[in-house]
Every structure is written in structure tokens, then in C-alpha cells.
Amino acid sequence: MWNLSFAIPALLILLVILAFYFSLPRLTVRRNRVFLQMVIIETIVMISDLVSSHMDNNYQDYDNWLITLLNMFFFIAFYTRSLIMYAFNVSVLDKRKNDSAMVVQLVRTPYYFSVLMALFSPFTRLVFYIDDTGYHSGSLYNILYMCAFFYLILSYLLFVVKRNNLKRKRERYCLFLYNFIVATGLIVRILLPRMLLMDTFVLMAIVAVYLAFENPEYSLELRGAIFNSRALREYIEENIGHFKHRCLGVTVHKYHEMRDIYGTKQMDEGLFLIARYLTRTFKGCNVFYYRRGRYIILCPKDSDFRKMCETVAERFKKAWRAEGVELYLDVGFATIEISNDIDSSDIILNTIASALVMADNMDSIVPVEITDTEILQTERETSVKRSLEAAIENKAVEVFLQPLISAEDGTVVGAEALSRIRDPQGKIIPPSIFIPIAENNGRINELGEQVFEKTCEFMKENDLEAMGVRWINVNLSPVQFMRSDLGERYASIAAKYGVNPGMIHLEITEDSMIDDNFLQKQIQAMEGKGFKFVLDDYGTGYSNLSRLKKCPFINIKLDMGLVWAYCKEPDAILPNMINAFRSMNFGITSEGIEDENMAEEMRRLGCDFLQGFYYSKPIPMDEFVRKYSKA
Ligand code: C2E
Ligand code: MG
Ligand code: MG
């Protein structure tokens, strides 16, 4: 006799979960789909368990074929539940599932086998059979446990390998608990087969994952009217590489100002009304709230953005009635085409966020359009940023040296230190790409300091005289130059390595010369510590001679653009300029010397030093030592 006293309450509790689950919006991601399948299959298992057990108990009252059919149904549902419970593990641990069809079928083989055995059992009597004395288990009844344990073991293996994909500890614990409860349920079932306790355990397992993963609070916002940014991330992560959507962003203009004007409570109500309006208006789409008055609509590929924007803009012409106040709000739009070449959800989310910031600054219903190329540009920038962060943190910024050559006799007299970083594949990223990024995010200070320190270290540890090197030029970004503590910091680094600051020439560009007073003060302060200054890239900015006169540069480097232009088509400008500099007692370096003729020409015009690929490209420090140390 089967005891139904645990199975019936379990079924009732499950029905409550089902009713609640259906009453809330659910994101169409695999995890939710599998969870739903799990709850449904569990309901089926419970009902078929109860009905077939009842029939088994009262077998005299029913036809044999009906009892057989229901038992067969129960067995198949039981196997299916094991498979789906495993699938739930996959859905949370392996979001970007890319198993081949063969692997999937291989994993399902025990399931197919078990189902076949159940289907043929009326003939083979291997799993179960019904005769005049009622229900009996067959000799291969234990297939049921083998199938269940097979999927449990797979679940544990997957958990061990991929548990770090779960960012939250609670999620990890709950998933472990979920599989543990199922295992316990199976053991209890083996020990107490008549109690029908398995369903109660499965229900406990379902509650565990419901609380950890499926709680609607986690993915909804604005009183449950709309999905939140966490849901957006999950959705993007799952669809990356095979996006079938277009993305429309809607942003409420001047969100913070509007909050101040209308009040927090009223504004929250307004945002809720907008959320409800958008979800109801764009039914075939997924609508997300992306914080601070910004909404994201992911819609089918063939959606008409123009019409959608017009519809929304039209609605915003009317007030939103919230908490007794009429809110008059403006909106901006952005469209983002998400290419399937992009494989990072961070990049997609960053692009969406910056598109919405742009849209916030535009008072037009014409959307800001972000295309594939722009996203890829952001992607490249993000990956450079990552390499830059890594290089700075790991003190892995490399310093290459390019020789400075005496125009008089062609010997090495100095060198310029030029920084390099590498991408994860070890390929060099040129400074023209990472310096502007470092300047924008403030990391240039640490980067510059690292280059300076490594240069000092090089000067301490090598015999500069043997290489003919009398000084080394180090570049200073305008951002660094503006720091009032620059002199102290650099002087203390030079002192740490026992390097004479006079042997370091700091290169600044005209971008550092915006504020004349500060320039004078800073240069004087630095000169007080012994450093010398060189003006880099002359000819790319707007300095006039009278301004230069006030600056105590020891040398002016002519930008290679200027040098190339002259060598291609000589005129009187460059020679006059050089003469003027010479009369002002500036030394002169010519950059970008690529061949003998250029070198000859610049020497003839009166340059003191030459720098360029003709002599050497910038090379790693150890190579520089090998190449230029005289035996
Ligand atoms: P820059 O200071 O004017 O450095 C000279 C640049 O011209 C170097 O590029 C060098 O490789 C290149 N160059 C030298 N001779 C030739 C030549 O004959 N032909 C050609 N086509 N190019 C030549 P690089 O190393 O890519 O550096 C680019 C710029 O990045 C530098 O221009 C400098 O402004 C900046 N930079 C490099 N390292 C640092 C650094 O540590 N700190 C700061 N703030 N800026 C740096
Ligand atoms: Mg330079
Ligand atoms: Mg230069």
C-alpha cells in the first residue's frame, strides 16, 4: 500500500508556487524556461504518482490496461524530471551553452533508454507489471534510480567545474543544496519506498532554487511593472552572438532635475506609469528599466524604429498623472544595432549606456544611432583599457629607447624613452592608442611615473658612457605637467636610483603651454631640482617665437611632419625658423629622419641632433645596450 499523506500537501504547495509564478512577468531566458518546465513536470509527476498509487492500492476497481498506462506515464514523467532537473543546473551554470548536438544527445541517452524500457515494460515486464494481484516492480525497476543518479552526478560534475560562473555565494549554496536535497530524496525513496516522500524533497529543491534564482524581486523594478538592469544583463549574456533584436533606448530628459522639480515620490510614480505604458504598447518586445529614467526596448529585427519613436514622443506630449501631480517630461531616443561579432555583454551595456547619455543631450525625436563600427570601436578601447590597467598594476609598462644622434659626427649622444604596453596575446599596443586613453582616465600619472622610474633604473644599472649616452629624454603629458607635486615626486625617484636629474630631459608639447604663468612656475620649480626641458613636436601647435623666448627650453624638437614636408618640397620657412631658434640659443633636434638625404638636409640647415628610423626604431632597453655599448 502506498502512503499518500506526504504527496498530497506537496502538490498543494506546488500549485501555489505555479499560480504565483504565472502571475508575474517572466524574462524569456533559458533559466526561466527550464524552471517552468521543472515546475510543470513536477506537477505531472505528483499527479501521476498520486493517481497511479491510488489505482495500485485499489487495483480491483480498475482495468489492468488503465493501471498499466498510468504507471507507464508515471515512470516516463519521473525520468523526464531527472533530465529537466539536470537541465536547470546547465541553465544557471553554463549560460552561453555551446555543447554540440552530439554531446546533447549523448547526455540524453540514459533518458531515452529508460523511456523505452518503460514503454515496453507491459510486454517485457522488466520495469513493472500489473497482474491479477496488482502492481509489481520488475527486475530492472532500478533503472529509475540509475537514471536519476546519472543526472545527479552530471549535475555535481558541472557544478564543480563551473561553479565560479555563479557570482553570488548564495546562488552557489542554493544550487548545491538543490542537488543535495534531490539526492537525499532519492535515498529516502530507496529506504522508504511506500511513503512517497520523493515529491516532498523535490518540492524542497524547487523552493531552494526559486528563492535563489527565480525570485521575481531580482529581475523586476518599478513595482514589478518592468524588468531591471540585472535582467537586461542576463538577457544580453544569453543572446550574445545570436542576437535577433534591435535595441531602442528611451531616456527621460534631465532626470535628476525633474526629480527635484516634481518630487521623488511623484517621479517614481511617473517612471512606473511610463514603464507600464511601454510594456503595454510594445507587447512583442522585452522592455527594461536601465536606471535614472532610461528604458531599453529589445524588439524584433523588423521593427520600425521611426514609428516607435513617434508613438512614444506623441505620448510624452501629454502629462503623466502621478500622485495628484501632472508630470510633463521630455524624451530622447537612441538606437543601437547589436552585431553578433561582439562577444562581451559589458561592451554592449557600456555602448547602450553611452548612447543614452548622448540621447539625453539631444532634444529631438531623431534617435542617436550607434552602429556596429562604433560598438567595435568601444570594444577595442575597452580592451586597450584592460591591457593598460593590467600593465600599470603589474608594473609591466615597457620602455623602449630610440637613439638621439649628433648631427655633427653621427654618433649616439642620447636617447628618448618611449613607452609600450602589450595586449593579452603579447602584441605591442602603440602609445598613440593608449596614451590618449590614459590621459582621459587619469592613469597617465602612474604610467608616466613608471616610465620615468624604469628609465632611472636603466641609467643606474648600465654604463651610459660606454653607449655614448649623455642624457635620456622622457615624455611628460600635459596632465602630468599640471601636477604641482611633479618636481618632488620625480626628484625623489631620481634620488632613489642615484641619478643626476640633469641627465634627464623632460619633453613637453605645446599642449602644456596653455597657461604661461603656470608654465614658468612649473619649469622653474623643476629646474630648481635639476631637470631640463625640451619642447617636443614643434610645428603641431600654435607657439610663436616671442612666447618661446620666455621659456627656458634647452632644445626644440621639430615635428616630423614639418621635417618631411620640407624634405619633400623645400621652402624658406623651415630654414628661417631654424635660424631664429639658433639665434635664441635653443638646441634643435629633427625628428623623423628616415634616410641619408633627410639627415644630410637637416644637418645642413643647422640641426644639432637627429632622431629617426634611419638610425634606429625605438628598441627594448636590453637590445639598446647590446647594440650601442662599445666593447
Ligand atoms: P614623440 O615623443 O614625438 O616620439 C617620437 C615618435 O616618433 C615615436 O613614436 C617614434 O617611434 C616615432 N618616430 C621616430 N622616428 C621616426 C621616423 O623616422 N619615422 C616615423 N614614421 N616615426 C618615427 P611612438 O613611440 O609611437 O610614440 C608616439 C608618441 O606617444 C610620442 O611622440 C609621445 O608623444 C607619446 N609617448 C610615447 N611614450 C610616452 C610616455 O611614456 N609618456 C607620454 N606622456 N607620452 C609618450
Ligand atoms: Mg617625445
Ligand atoms: Mg615628437
XYZ file of all heavy atoms in Angstrom, residues 177-178 181 199-209:
109
model
N 22.618 22.932 -2.620
C 21.538 22.420 -1.770
C 20.473 21.717 -2.613
O 19.981 20.640 -2.260
C 20.919 23.614 -1.025
C 19.971 23.281 0.116
C 20.756 22.621 1.239
C 19.304 24.559 0.638
N 20.145 22.339 -3.718
C 19.127 21.799 -4.633
C 19.477 20.368 -5.035
O 18.672 19.445 -4.888
C 19.085 22.747 -5.830
C 18.493 22.264 -7.131
C 17.119 22.293 -7.340
C 19.317 21.840 -8.182
C 16.582 21.891 -8.557
C 18.792 21.447 -9.392
C 17.425 21.475 -9.577
O 16.896 21.089 -10.777
N 19.433 18.022 -1.924
C 18.083 17.625 -1.484
C 17.538 16.518 -2.390
O 16.931 15.554 -1.926
C 17.124 18.844 -1.485
C 17.559 19.856 -0.430
C 15.686 18.408 -1.220
C 16.793 21.173 -0.480
N 8.487 13.323 -3.761
C 7.887 14.576 -4.235
C 8.102 15.717 -3.244
O 8.305 16.863 -3.633
C 6.400 14.386 -4.502
C 6.193 13.539 -5.745
O 7.004 13.664 -6.677
O 5.252 12.727 -5.763
N 8.064 15.384 -1.965
C 8.270 16.416 -0.952
C 9.696 16.961 -1.059
O 9.921 18.171 -0.980
C 8.040 15.825 0.458
O 6.798 15.139 0.419
C 8.024 16.891 1.513
N 10.638 16.057 -1.273
C 12.032 16.506 -1.404
C 12.221 17.355 -2.659
O 12.894 18.379 -2.636
C 12.980 15.299 -1.407
C 13.288 14.819 -0.019
C 12.471 13.879 0.606
C 14.367 15.333 0.686
C 12.737 13.456 1.897
C 14.634 14.911 1.974
C 13.817 13.973 2.589
N 11.630 16.896 -3.757
C 11.771 17.682 -4.991
C 11.147 19.058 -4.797
O 11.697 20.074 -5.240
C 11.144 16.944 -6.199
C 11.122 17.844 -7.423
C 11.914 15.678 -6.491
N 10.058 19.105 -4.097
C 9.437 20.402 -3.829
C 10.396 21.296 -3.033
O 10.548 22.489 -3.332
C 8.126 20.203 -3.052
C 7.400 21.503 -2.731
C 6.874 22.139 -4.005
C 6.250 21.251 -1.771
N 11.050 20.703 -2.030
C 12.034 21.482 -1.255
C 13.137 22.013 -2.178
O 13.560 23.174 -2.072
C 12.676 20.600 -0.172
C 11.815 20.411 1.059
S 12.347 18.969 1.992
C 13.961 19.447 2.523
N 13.594 21.158 -3.075
C 14.656 21.573 -4.004
C 14.164 22.723 -4.881
O 14.896 23.697 -5.124
C 15.084 20.392 -4.862
N 12.939 22.611 -5.338
C 12.384 23.673 -6.196
C 12.295 24.982 -5.411
O 12.650 26.053 -5.919
C 10.997 23.250 -6.744
C 11.184 22.156 -7.784
C 10.250 24.439 -7.324
C 9.900 21.614 -8.376
N 11.881 24.896 -4.153
C 11.786 26.112 -3.339
C 13.178 26.733 -3.171
O 13.339 27.950 -3.262
C 11.129 25.801 -1.963
C 11.241 26.998 -1.032
C 9.671 25.416 -2.160
N 14.189 25.885 -2.990
C 15.557 26.412 -2.815
C 15.989 27.225 -4.027
O 16.478 28.348 -3.895
C 16.532 25.270 -2.572
N 15.783 26.693 -5.224
C 16.232 27.468 -6.398
C 15.286 28.615 -6.707
O 15.694 29.640 -7.237
C 16.451 26.591 -7.663
C 17.675 25.731 -7.518
C 15.242 25.805 -8.039
